[in-house]
């Protein structure tokens, strides 16, 4: 089935719908967005909605090819579901209401409601429900590559967050947990192969269960400065986690300090930074003491939470520790608790005024703290745990920071911005129960199938790869994804057309996709600039010495710029490709 | 770019998501619909909306591959536009209003209106408008394969008329008429190659300009009994046309007859059939005389139209002859014209009572007509043109019938039901003017580009091919479209698994896609029935003599059923494929 056989292996730029731009588009704030538009890969059709020009479509198809191969290797079969799905299915899972404004909705001429699918758990489960017989039909693994729709409030950064996007979504069905877990592991490995072949730096992180429901799930995160998520990475270790859930190794407690507790006048200094500046001490030496209330159901408790002044409380972690969602005390709350002195709260003598004191582990790893004195305009210095204050509970309640020790003991954590490029879920029976995907087990008992689902943002990958692979001149495509492997650049009219054609055919003859910049009106400078912008991994320059049978071979990453005999060209390229 | 390389060449049925059904689905009225569902090709997701199971997707991809190759051969470049398009573009062309209920509409969270594209003239024209510079950028030829949406009032017949469907739509842009016409001819030839490779019987017919606007356009029609359109075909000639526009050769006039004009009492016989039955004469001997009014703008003319009693007036043709849309006189009109006797109107003595008498050419090719006597309860027999009545104008105003002479002199026309499978249009500046797709000509003058557009219903093709290629047992896929080339059928447990695998690998080794029916629980009867239902062109049966190295080779069309040595199998298959 050579679906791509129609793509010629040699394209002439003058006859190809490639339009590069000299200027950055006004609305593009990120490198990938600028380069996709300037390089002639995409054009905006509406906010967060793009057309793929021939160059962009070639890259999309190459990503799809990698994903298809790895899905097949993981035993998944391709099918194709519609984007338009009836509301009835989504009511059964409860997600018609849950999705809110993020879901595009459509009413047909008869008044029937549909959505434009943001994902396909409901439809695939309903489809499979009608086809499942006995346990011998399981496991079943299917996937599709298809356009999804989400009405994002703020579409951003080219294809990173768009309102329609190409996604690979796979769904698996199982008779038992072991089968689900085994497939989940195989899909994890397939995802690693996909992202590696796409040339991406990435790490899998444990994630919270979200609107997908179900149990264990992991996100594949690609570090890039445009990421909206912060991810903590162990240096060479196995650990990686979103900031929301990342934990450092528990710090080693230290002996109490020797300074004596001293009351100091700190007029007007209420924040950690103010106090540190006023006293000439590092903010990390000041103890932050935040007061939280937990909901009425928990009897209106006020909880004091301690951490070093240079750290941030992670309220998701705190909520897990408290078993309830906390909220900071507001002005009215302080008015209702006159014994709590706003701006000067500290743990010394606080135990009687609050329900509980929770301290982060780092509090036990420090000494001689500066703390609020619980009276207006005063702090205490030289405060030490055990002698001057106590905590009811020690826990991890702060965000990790770069340099914190990784919990896998592999060294200091780094903190990087990252974009989610894939997500795999163990769903359990979240969808098979409401949508009736049951099977008869070996004993003839009807049971709901266990499910997994697995997504990759195909079009998003294009943007993320560019973020990780570009320089000031343009895109530097990884070999598997480049729209063309080689750009042939004849300079001026000195170079014989037949020679250019024969070089291009020779390259195509060994399976390379070739773009020939045959524009007669373009200067050498324009041709070089466009080749760098478009970003094919190899550039073959046919210039002054072409008639002697010599070309200049350049790699887009600048690691190779060399003269090569035309007779050796394909060998040299092959050598570089094999080595990289 | 081996996008399909992930498809293994050998699939085992027991591990493939193929579910055949013994029973016809309740809602399927046509063969293709029944077979697509029973064969496990598609499943309904909602009215007129389908999921493609792996078998269906394989066929879809094969059709796409044929189309891609032929589009590339015609110099078209592939791109991909979004389905979701802003209203603003469609207001500029005027089609936001024109499309009415046929268009799915969506409002986003900010209140901006979008449609789900039924076609893409507006978006491609707007996209190209921003990229066109001088005349050297033209011609530009692009296409996409993409999902379209139309909210059909009555979705029908599987994928023939569905509400979402995969379409190939191409758009070309030109500096002048010659360029447009040349490309139009090349696309016509490409369409012929596509449909021929898909194994379709088809003919191109001239069509009326519809909502697409513009000039010349032709439909490619595939004859099948499920067609909603009637098409007149010349037997081996070049002529074919939709019934609406088809013309027969002008019949040869005959000498007037010799019967005398005789008044006969025909009480209560007002229709052609009544009169013919009453007088014992064929209906074709009775002259039909219909009275039409043309709109007030044409001074309330009443026009009498004559044709043989066994023919139907074609009001589209009549409108062209009259230069206005005619309407039959109603009861009130007869009351206003008491000289016109309803049910007994005839041309004898009619000239003074109507504005004009128009006769079909066939009236001059007959004699001794029976006509209305213009008095209640009476007709005249033996009426002859020239002697007893005249016409102001002779013209082609009837529908052709099977057996009429083809206008290309190739013999009698046949009339067949047919489905539109492709449509090509010369659009002119219908879209380039409102959407601003202009270029600078050689003299530096800004001019609108001329456009063509060209559609093929990819998913519809799947259904139409099945209508033309099936029998009572199932589908008989043409070679280029089959989901698998060969189905290997081991019978019982007698056949060694390794042998089956080696036969499958041997077939795959010469580039064939192979499905092995390895189901251990299925009887020979079930396996044969499913192989016929699924419809691969070749079946290789491994049975009693397999251990001796002998297989039975069957072609799905039953033209070959023969024992073949395994060593000769690929040669024999290759020979049959080459011969067909």
């Amino acid at each position: 089935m050579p679906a791509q056989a129609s793509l010629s292996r040699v394209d002439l730029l003058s006859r190809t719908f490639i339009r590069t731009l000299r200027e950055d588009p006004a609305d593009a704030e990120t490198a990938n967005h600028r380069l996709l538009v300037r390089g002639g890969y995409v054009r905006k059709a509406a906010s967060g909605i793009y057309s793929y020009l021939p160059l962009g479509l070639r890259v999309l198809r190459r990503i799809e090819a990698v994903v298809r191969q790895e899905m097949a290797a993981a035993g998944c079969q391709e099918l194709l579901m519609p984007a338009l799905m009836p509301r009835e299915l989504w009511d059964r899972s409860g997600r018609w209401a849950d999705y809110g404004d993020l879901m595009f909705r459509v009413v047909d001429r008869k008044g029937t409601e549909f959505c434009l699918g943001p994902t396909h758990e409901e439809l695939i489960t309903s489809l499979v429900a009608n086809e499942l017989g006995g346990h011998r039909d399981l496991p079943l693994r299917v996937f599709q590559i298809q356009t999804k729709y989400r009405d994002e409030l703020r579409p951003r950064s080219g294809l990173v967050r768009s309102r329609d996007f190409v996604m690979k979504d796979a769904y698996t069905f199982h008779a038992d947990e072991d089968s689900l877990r085994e497939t989940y592991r195989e899909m994890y490995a397939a995802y690693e192969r996909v992202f590696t072949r796409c040339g991406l730096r990435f790490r899998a992180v444990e994630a919270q269960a979200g609107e997908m429901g179900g149990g264990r799930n992991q996100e594949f995160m690609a570090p890039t400065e445009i990421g909206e998520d912060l991810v903590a990475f162990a240096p060479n270790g196995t650990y990686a986690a979103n900031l929301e859930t990342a934990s450092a190794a528990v710090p080693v407690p230290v002996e109490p300090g020797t300074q004596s507790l001293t009351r100091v006048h700190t007029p007007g200094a209420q924040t950690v930074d103010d106090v540190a500046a006023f006293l000439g001490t590092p903010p990390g030496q000041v103890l932050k003491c935040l007061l939280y209330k937990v909901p009425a159901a928990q009897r209106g408790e006020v909880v004091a939470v301690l951490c070093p002044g240079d750290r941030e409380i992670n309220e998701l972690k705190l909520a897990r520790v408290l078993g309830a969602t906390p909220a900071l005390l507001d002005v009215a709350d302080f008015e209702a608790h006159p014994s709590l002195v706003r701006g000067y709260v500290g743990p010394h003598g606080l135990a009687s005024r609050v329900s509980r004191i929770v301290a982060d582990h780092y509090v036990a790893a420090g000494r001689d703290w500066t703390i609020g004195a619980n009276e207006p305009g005063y702090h205490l210095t030289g405060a030490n745990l055990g002698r001057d204050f106590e905590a009811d509970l020690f826990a991890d309640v702060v965000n990790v920071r770069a340099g914190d020790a990784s919990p896998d003991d592999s060294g200091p954590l780094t903190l990087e911005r990252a974009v989610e490029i894939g997500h795999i879920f163990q769903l359990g029976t979240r969808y098979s129960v409401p949508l009736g995907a049951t099977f008869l087990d070996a004993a003839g008992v009807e049971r709901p199938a266990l499910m997994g689902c697995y997504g990759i943002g195909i079009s998003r990958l294009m943007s993320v790869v560019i973020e990780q692979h570009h320089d000031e001149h343009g895109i530097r495509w990884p070999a598997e994804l480049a729209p063309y492997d080689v750009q042939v650049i004849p300079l001026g009219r000195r170079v014989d057309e037949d020679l250019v054609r024969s070089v291009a055919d020779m390259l195509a003859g060994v399976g390379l996709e070739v773009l020939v910049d045959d524009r007669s009106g373009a200067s050498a400078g324009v041709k070089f600039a466009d080749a760098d912008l478009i970003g094919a991994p190899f550039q073959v320059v046919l210039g002054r010495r072409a008639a002697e049978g010599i070309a200049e071979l350049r790699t887009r990453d600048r690691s190779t710029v060399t003269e090569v005999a035309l007779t050796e060209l394909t060998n040299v390229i092959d050598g570089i490709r094999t080595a990289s």
Side-chain angles (χ1 to χ4, degrees), chain A:
Chain A
M1 287 204 208
Q4 298 304 318
S6 67
L7 285 173
S8 63
R9 291 206 173 272
V10 177
D11 282 338
L12 303 178
L13 208 155
S14 69
R15 299 193 207 155
T16 306
F17 190 33
I18 295 175
R19 298 287 184 278
T20 57
L21 309 176
R22 291 288 150 259
E23 303 294 326
D24 285 337
D27 63 342
E29 292 170 359
T30 54
N32 86 83
H33 190 180
R34 282 197 299 272
L35 294 172
L36 283 172
V37 175
R38 283 192 45 210
Y41 284 85
V42 304
R43 290 292 183 263
K44 188 164 85 169
S47 169
I49 301 177
Y50 291 87
S51 294
Y52 296 88
L53 300 187
L55 277 182
L57 185 59
R58 290 178 82 100
V59 176
L60 202 62
R61 293 278 187 260
R62 285 205 152 181
I63 300 173
E64 289 176 6
V66 169
V67 170
R68 278 204 173 89
Q69 287 162 16
E70 297 302 343
M71 285 299 102
C76 292
Q77 303 174 59
E78 189 170 358
L79 44 68
L80 183 62
M81 291 179 277
L84 215 48
M85 288 178 277
R87 167 175 180 162
E88 182 261 331
L89 289 176
W90 294 75
D91 277 339
R92 281 159 73 185
S93 72
R95 293 206 294 181
W96 181 265
D98 292 350
Y99 258 103
D101 283 347
L102 198 59
M103 187 185 256
F104 282 109
R105 293 157 206 259
V106 186
V107 180
D108 77 1
R109 65 199 299 158
K110 290 174 180 163
T112 307
E113 291 178 274
F114 291 82
C115 69
L116 287 177
T119 175
H120 275 76
E121 283 76 18
E122 281 78 359
L123 186 52
I124 190 66
T125 309
S126 144
L127 192 163
V128 167
N130 291 316
E131 312 294 333
L132 278 188
H135 58 100
R136 275 184 239 279
D137 289 341
L138 299 173
L140 175 65
R141 311 176 193 196
V142 296
F143 78 103
Q144 64 175 348
I145 292 179
Q146 191 251 14
T147 303
K148 300 279 188 283
Y149 296 87
R150 293 188 194 175
D151 193 2
E152 296 286 353
L153 183 58
R154 275 178 289 276
R156 63 182 281 275
S157 193
L159 307 175
V160 171
R161 175 160 295 162
S162 51
R163 299 204 285 175
D164 72 343
F165 52 97
V166 181
M167 188 162 161
K168 185 286 299 176
D169 43 328
Y171 305 92
T172 65
F173 296 81
H174 308 271
D176 56 44
E177 284 280 354
D178 282 349
S179 169
L180 170 57
R181 278 194 290 264
E182 182 189 338
T183 293
Y184 184 88
R185 277 192 300 272
E186 289 170 16
M187 292 298 274
Y188 182 102
Y191 273 45
E192 289 191 315
R193 291 192 301 269
V194 165
F195 299 132
T196 301
R197 289 177 62 182
C198 290
L200 284 164
R201 289 185 297 116
F202 67 94
R203 290 290 265 288
V205 306
E206 296 288 335
Q208 297 292 315
E211 81 268 25
M212 305 297 291
R216 185 180 188 196
N217 70 95
Q218 287 165 288
E219 290 173 287
F220 289 82
M221 305 296 296
T224 147
E225 63 186 17
I226 67 158
E228 285 182 319
D229 297 315
L230 272 170
V231 179
F233 293 99
N236 294 303
T238 56
Y239 185 78
N242 283 337
L243 185 62
E244 288 177 357
T245 58
S247 293
V250 175
V252 180
V254 296
E255 292 297 310
T258 54
Q259 294 180 12
S260 57
L261 192 64
T262 307
R263 179 166 170 272
V264 292
H265 189 41
T266 53
Q270 300 192 1
T271 68
V272 166
D273 287 342
D274 289 347
V275 174
F278 186 85
L279 298 176
T281 187
Q285 203 59 39
V286 177
L287 200 65
K288 198 183 274 185
C289 182
L290 295 177
L291 299 180
Y292 285 91
K293 55 189 172 179
V294 290
Q298 277 84 21
R299 297 155 286 115
E301 275 188 22
V302 172
V303 179
V305 182
L306 309 180
C307 74
D310 56 355
R311 290 188 175 268
E312 298 298 324
I313 299 291
N314 176 319
E315 293 189 353
L316 280 173
K317 290 183 179 179
L318 182 59
R320 260 198 308 270
V321 168
L322 298 177
T325 304
L328 280 170
L329 260 55
D330 58 22
V331 174
D333 295 322
F334 275 102
E335 283 170 4
H337 294 85
S339 68
L340 301 172
V341 183
R342 189 154 173 254
Y344 299 93
V345 177
H348 181 67
L350 190 64
S352 60
R353 311 180 197 197
V354 299
S355 316
R356 270 203 289 175
I357 297 176
V358 174
D360 185 76
H361 293 303
Y362 279 103
V363 176
R367 55 189 156 195
D368 294 330
W369 299 100
T370 295
I371 63 176
N374 295 316
E375 60 174 310
Y378 285 90
H379 280 78
L380 303 173
T381 62
N384 281 287
L385 186 66
R387 184 189 73 186
D388 306 314
F389 66 95
E390 288 289 356
D392 298 297
L393 178 69
F394 289 87
D396 171 21
V397 293
V398 296
N399 285 334
V400 299
R401 287 192 318 204
D404 287 352
S406 171
D408 66 357
D409 288 330
S410 66
L413 291 172
T414 55
L415 215 55
E416 289 192 73
R417 299 214 152 266
V419 172
E420 181 194 319
I421 50 176
H423 206 152
I424 59 179
F425 294 85
Q426 294 181 16
L427 294 173
T429 60
R430 164 73 179 86
Y431 299 95
S432 52
V433 166
L435 291 148
T438 61
F439 67 100
L440 295 180
D441 69 13
V445 177
E446 186 173 353
R447 292 170 45 199
L450 297 171
M451 289 175 59
C453 75
Y454 317 85
I456 291 179
I458 302 268
S459 45
R460 170 180 285 189
L461 271 195
M462 195 186 309
S463 278
V464 175
V465 166
I466 293 173
E467 286 296 333
Q468 289 193 354
H469 296 274
H470 72 277
D471 60 21
E472 66 274 31
H473 306 295
I475 304 170
R476 289 162 42 160
W477 286 112
E480 288 246 31
L481 304 193
Y484 294 94
D485 301 303
V486 187
Q487 188 147 343
V488 174
I489 306 170
L491 294 182
R493 288 161 207 275
R494 288 168 299 197
V495 187
D496 181 62
E497 252 180 53
D498 290 341
L499 176 67
V500 175
R501 184 74 213 185
S502 75
V503 170
D505 286 344
M506 180 179 68
L507 295 165
V510 295
L512 299 169
E513 304 270 350
V514 183
L515 180 64
V516 180
D517 190 348
D518 63 332
R519 293 175 294 179
S520 56
S523 69
V526 165
K527 288 184 176 187
F528 286 132
D530 277 348
D532 280 355
L533 179 58
I534 290 169
F538 292 96
Q539 301 170 359
V540 170
V541 183
L542 298 174
R544 207 163 28 82
R545 302 194 62 191
E548 306 165 39
I550 305 285
E552 185 179 72
L553 176 67
R554 303 176 177 206
T555 53
R556 176 62 186 84
D557 64 6
R558 299 285 196 275
S559 62
T560 302
V561 180
T562 180
E563 291 202 323
V564 176
L566 290 175
T567 50
E568 283 303 308
L569 195 53
T570 57
N571 284 340
V572 175
I573 289 175
D574 190 49
I576 295 172
R577 281 163 66 97
T578 308
S580 65

